[in-house]
Every structure is written in structure tokens, then in C-alpha cells.
Amino acid sequence: MSTRRWVMPLKVATALTLSIVIALALGWNKPYWAAFAVIVMAATETNGHSLKKGRHRIIGTFAGVIIAFVLIDLFGQQPLAFLLVYSLIIAVCIYQQTNPKNGYAWTIGLMVSCVIIVMGKLSAEQTFAIAALRLQETILGVICFSFVFSVFSPVSSRIVLLNTLLSNAKTKQEKIEQAIIDIQSNEMLSRNVSWSDSLKYLARIDDLLQAAKTDSYQINSEFPIWETIRNEQNQWVLLGGHLSEAINLIDEKFTTEQKQALIAVLTALKNRYINSITLLSYVVENPQATNHCIRQYMVDNTLFVAPFSLDSLLNCKELQHGALMMLAQNLAKMDALQASIYQHLTQAILSESPSEITLKKKPSSALFNISLDSERLINVFKILVIFWISVGLWLFIPMQGGVMIVLLSLVFGSVALSLPFVSPRYILMHMIVWSVLALFQYIFILPHLSQLWQLGLFY
């Protein structure tokens, strides 16, 4: 365990040092831009997340360069028009930065455009030099990170996805076993058990799928099937909610016949989950196993799922017949849904095309969505207020830093909005601490490092 804990820091240190040393060896200024790219990509969970973030960082950098070039070319001599048009661009970028699929690219586009405009000082030659340097450094950082993290102990998004599904299946199995015990001992189903998946789990599955699509050929080639599995996981939330509602409506104890029917359907559902756990566990523990080995293992270890009948619940004449019928119908639907999930899971892992079930394509979304998100609009308003206050401070108050106030306020503001659950005081405290450490580094350490190998060893 302790050995694994050192793997990540060593990989980050290697990629960081490699990017800085190469940038200095090539004579590029601001090698820390390459280091930033490495640090940002390292703050992710898997290779797929890192590669996706690196791709978005490059796309955002190119977009930021184009924005800066166009604004300076068209409005370089018109300050008011420049600020108004750039405010519109800021509004669009901030509105889009909460998009879970490509929001990071919008954030980087805004930051890079601001950096180039401010550091280029609206000069054509200086702006071009800063833009070219930013592109070079960013691409270098992404290449160094991708090389180190792909070669040395890579963390597969596919394995993390399978582990997440495995953990969820084990949790479901435990809940079902507890429900069987409750029926046998109390002749009732516990109302304190949540049968639905949390929204956090569903969001994580979607995030891992997008990441695994980037770094896993198996996931990418069978992505429609994985999307179907994700959608079926979402359907489980609705069925779980209906099941909990039905349980809350049942006040009387189950009869012996009803107990037997419920135990039969819960046992069938538990066995389906055990089969999923068996499959996922084998694939996680043997990632290089062939399809023949997986099939043979499942033939030897798959449990038989016995049929069941719920007539005693569906045809009950008691006053709570409606609740019992809802309970029976939802349990039957959950059993069928889990059978479908297991079938699709097997198809996805073995890379087999679905034979019976046709995958429905989602309707393509419109290029422009007329509906507006009020929370995003509030974030846009906040950033525009911050931007214009910083512009006013730069223009009318002679303070140290000058136009850098605009750059820092825009960058820090957009970052703070992307971390809605972190307090500004927390961010400010960490900024001050790390700024002090960086200042001591520049004053007391770096002036004594005269050789490139010394600098590389230090980092």
C-alpha cells in the first residue's frame, strides 16, 4: 500500500521536471506554463480523465489565442468597444464553463485570451510572441504528462469504472440479503433501506464512462452498449423510489404465502447481482483475460436464477392490495431490469454486438438551446461585475500591478465559480500560503541553482 502511495507523486514529479527541463533547454521563457499543464492534468483520477483534460486544455488554448488575435486586430484602438465585446465573450465562456463535457475548454479559452491580451499589451508583435509561447508550453506539458503517465503504472479508466460498478453491485446484494432477513424474522420489509442509487453515483458513472471512452478501446468500441447500461442504472432510481413508496404504504405483516413469494423474487434478484459481481470481479482481477477464459469462468460460476410467481401479492383481497400490487410489480420490473443490465454488461465486456435489443439513439440536441439556466446567468453577472470593477481599479487608481489586477481577478473569479462548495476564505488562505512558499523559493533557493540539472533535481 505504501509503495502505491509513492507512485503518483513520483510520476507527477517526473513529468513536471521533464517539462521544465525541456522548456529551459529549448530556451523558452516561462517554463512554468508547461508545469501548470502537468499539475492540472495530474489532479485527476485516471488516464482517461487526464487525457480528456489535456485535450480540452489544448483546444481552450487555441481558442484563447484566436479570441485574443481577433479582438486586438478589430478593436485594438477602440478601448470601449474592446471591453464591451470582451465582456460578451466572458459571459459566453462563464455560462458554458459548468458544462460537464467541455466546460473546462471554455474556462481555459477565457483564461488564455486574458493572459495573452494583458501580457501582450495590445502590441501585435508581443501578442504573437506570447501566444506562440503559450501554445508551445501547453503542448509540451501535455506531451510530457501523457508520456510519463502512459508508460509508468497507468491507471485505467475502464478498471476504475468496473470497480465502481462492482462496489455498487455488492452494496445492492447486501441490501437484498438484509431484506430477506427482515422478511424471515419480522415478516416486514424495513422502511429505512434506500433501494435507489444516489445522484452522486450516477454522475460518477457518467464521468467515468466519458473518461474511459478516451483511454480504453474496449469502452470506446462498445460505447453504445455502455450508454444503455448507464441509462438502465438511471431507470433503477425510479423503480427504487417506487419500491420504497410501496413499502411505506404496507402496514400489516405478510402472510406465509406472501413471504415465500417475496423471498423467491428477492433471491432471484440477489443471484442476478451475484452473477454480475462474479463477472466484474474476474475481469478486474484478470484484465488481460481472453473472451474464451471469461466465458468458461462464467459457465462454471454463474448461478441459476429460479423463476418466481407473485400471484399471492397481485391477487390479494386485503385493503392494502394497491400497495402490495405496487410492491410486486416493481420487484418484477427490477428483476427484469437487472437481467437486462447483466446481459448488456456481458456483451460490453466480451465486445459482442446486441442480438435482440436494439439500442436507441438519443435525439440530437439543437445547436442553440433557447432555455436559459438562472444559476449560470447569476454566475455570468458576478464575473462581469468583478471584471468591470477590476478595470475601474486599473484605470482610475494607480496601484501596484496595473493591468495584472484585471487578469488575476478574472482568472480567480472563474476558478472560484467552478468550485461552488469551497469557501472564498479557504481559497484565499491557500493562495497566501503557497504564495509565501513560492516567494521564499525564488529568494533563497533558485538564485543558487546555476546548472540545469540542479534545477531539474530541485523540482
Side-chain angles (χ1 to χ4, degrees):
M1 180 65 70
S2 60
T3 303
R4 292 293 305 171
R5 290 180 62 186
W6 280 103
V7 171
M8 184 65 174
L10 286 175
K11 292 193 317 186
V12 175
T14 302
L16 183 71
T17 302
L18 189 62
S19 63
I20 291 178
V21 169
I22 292 177
L24 290 174
L26 294 175
W28 295 350
N29 295 324
K30 300 177 177 59
Y32 54 82
W33 280 347
F36 283 162
V38 172
I39 293 172
V40 169
M41 292 180 68
T44 52
E45 184 177 5
T46 65
N47 278 11
H49 288 97
S50 301
L51 294 174
K52 179 183 176 183
K53 206 161 193 177
R55 182 177 67 230
H56 285 172
R57 192 172 184 87
I58 292 177
I59 293 173
T61 301
F62 273 102
V65 169
I66 294 173
I67 291 172
F69 283 174
V70 171
L71 287 178
I72 292 173
D73 180 62
L74 297 179
F75 307 105
Q77 304 301 321
Q78 306 172 48
L80 182 59
F82 182 95
L83 292 175
L84 291 175
V85 174
Y86 194 50
S87 296
L88 179 61
I89 293 174
I90 292 172
V92 173
C93 291
I94 295 298
Y95 187 84
Q96 293 292 338
Q97 79 169 4
T98 54
N99 186 323
K101 291 188 176 180
N102 53 24
Y104 183 69
W106 289 92
T107 302
I108 293 299
L110 175 62
M111 291 183 181
V112 171
S113 65
C114 188
V115 167
I116 294 174
I117 291 171
V118 170
M119 300 185 71
K121 299 179 180 179
L122 301 183
S123 168
E125 294 182 358
Q126 192 166 348
T127 298
F128 179 82
I130 293 294
L133 185 61
R134 180 76 187 200
L135 282 172
Q136 292 171 343
E137 302 278 6
T138 299
I139 294 173
L140 174 62
V142 172
I143 291 175
C144 291
F145 177 91
S146 301
F147 172 74
V148 173
F149 275 69
S150 298
V151 173
F152 302 104
S153 186
V155 180
S156 171
S157 302
R158 177 175 180 264
I159 297 300
V160 176
L161 171 64
L162 295 179
N163 268 319
T164 303
L165 293 172
L166 175 60
S167 176
N168 180 262
K170 289 180 177 179
T171 302
K172 294 280 183 57
Q173 179 197 346
E174 293 173 357
K175 289 182 179 180
I176 295 171
E177 290 176 345
Q178 184 59 49
I180 294 175
I181 294 174
D182 289 340
I183 294 175
Q184 292 173 336
S185 59
N186 303 326
E187 300 180 348
M188 293 285 290
L189 283 170
S190 174
R191 299 181 179 182
N192 299 324
V193 177
S194 175
W195 290 83
S196 297
D197 292 317
S198 66
L199 295 178
K200 183 179 179 181
Y201 166 76
L202 297 176
R204 177 168 172 76
I205 290 296
D206 188 55
D207 178 56
L208 287 173
L209 268 180
Q210 296 299 327
K213 186 180 180 182
T214 303
D215 75 332
S216 172
Y217 173 77
Q218 292 97 329
I219 299 293
N220 187 42
S221 60
E222 303 297 336
F223 195 71
I225 304 179
W226 284 104
E227 281 189 314
T228 301
I229 295 173
R230 179 197 61 192
N231 295 336
E232 288 172 335
Q233 298 269 343
N234 293 338
Q235 294 174 27
W236 186 276
V237 174
L238 297 177
L239 293 178
H242 294 322
L243 183 65
S244 298
E245 182 181 355
I247 293 174
N248 291 333
L249 293 175
I250 298 175
D251 297 324
E252 299 180 7
K253 293 184 178 181
F254 298 113
T255 64
T256 302
E257 189 178 2
Q258 291 171 346
K259 283 171 55 179
Q260 293 175 349
L262 285 172
I263 291 175
V265 64
L266 289 173
T267 302
L269 189 57
K270 181 186 74 170
N271 288 341
R272 294 195 188 281
Y273 270 107
I274 291 176
N275 290 337
S276 296
I277 292 170
T278 302
L279 173 61
L280 290 168
S281 298
Y282 182 78
V283 175
V284 169
E285 294 171 2
N286 304 274
Q288 303 302 324
T290 63
N291 286 354
H292 174 74
C293 294
I294 297 175
R295 289 193 187 95
Q296 187 59 47
Y297 182 82
M298 295 310 299
V299 168
D300 298 336
N301 295 275
T302 299
L303 295 179
F304 171 72
V305 179
F308 55 85
S309 174
L310 297 174
D311 294 339
S312 60
L313 295 171
L314 294 173
N315 300 324
C316 178
K317 303 301 182 182
E318 299 179 6
L319 293 177
Q320 53 184 2
H321 168 61
L324 292 173
M325 184 172 63
M326 184 189 300
L327 176 68
Q329 290 175 343
N330 280 283
L331 282 173
K333 290 178 181 178
M334 293 171 84
D335 181 76
L337 182 61
Q338 181 55 30
S340 178
I341 292 176
Y342 177 72
Q343 177 190 0
H344 286 132
L345 192 62
T346 304
Q347 292 168 347
I349 289 176
L350 297 176
S351 299
E352 295 177 343
S353 300
S355 55
E356 299 178 358
I357 301 178
T358 304
L359 302 178
K360 296 181 180 180
K361 293 184 177 179
K362 292 183 179 180
S364 57
S365 57
L367 181 60
F368 296 101
N369 193 347
I370 299 178
S371 62
L372 297 176
D373 189 324
S374 58
E375 185 175 352
R376 290 184 177 186
L377 292 176
I378 292 174
N379 289 340
V380 170
F381 175 76
K382 289 179 181 178
I383 289 298
L384 289 179
V385 170
I386 293 173
F387 173 69
W388 279 98
I389 289 176
S390 62
V391 169
L393 292 174
W394 165 50
L395 294 177
F396 301 108
I397 300 179
M399 58 176 58
Q400 190 70 23
V403 72
M404 290 297 294
I405 296 173
V406 180
L407 169 62
L408 295 177
S409 62
L410 191 58
V411 171
F412 293 153
S414 61
V415 171
L417 287 179
S418 65
L419 303 171
F421 301 108
V422 180
S423 66
R425 182 182 301 177
Y426 179 86
I427 298 176
L428 180 61
M429 180 183 67
H430 280 73
M431 284 174 53
I432 293 174
V433 171
W434 284 104
S435 297
V436 171
L437 292 176
L439 186 62
F440 274 97
Q441 169 188 315
Y442 276 100
I443 294 175
F444 298 107
I445 300 177
L446 293 183
H448 301 287
L449 305 180
S450 58
Q451 301 296 324
L452 184 60
W453 68 268
Q454 294 174 332
L455 186 62
L457 184 62
F458 168 74
Y459 280 112

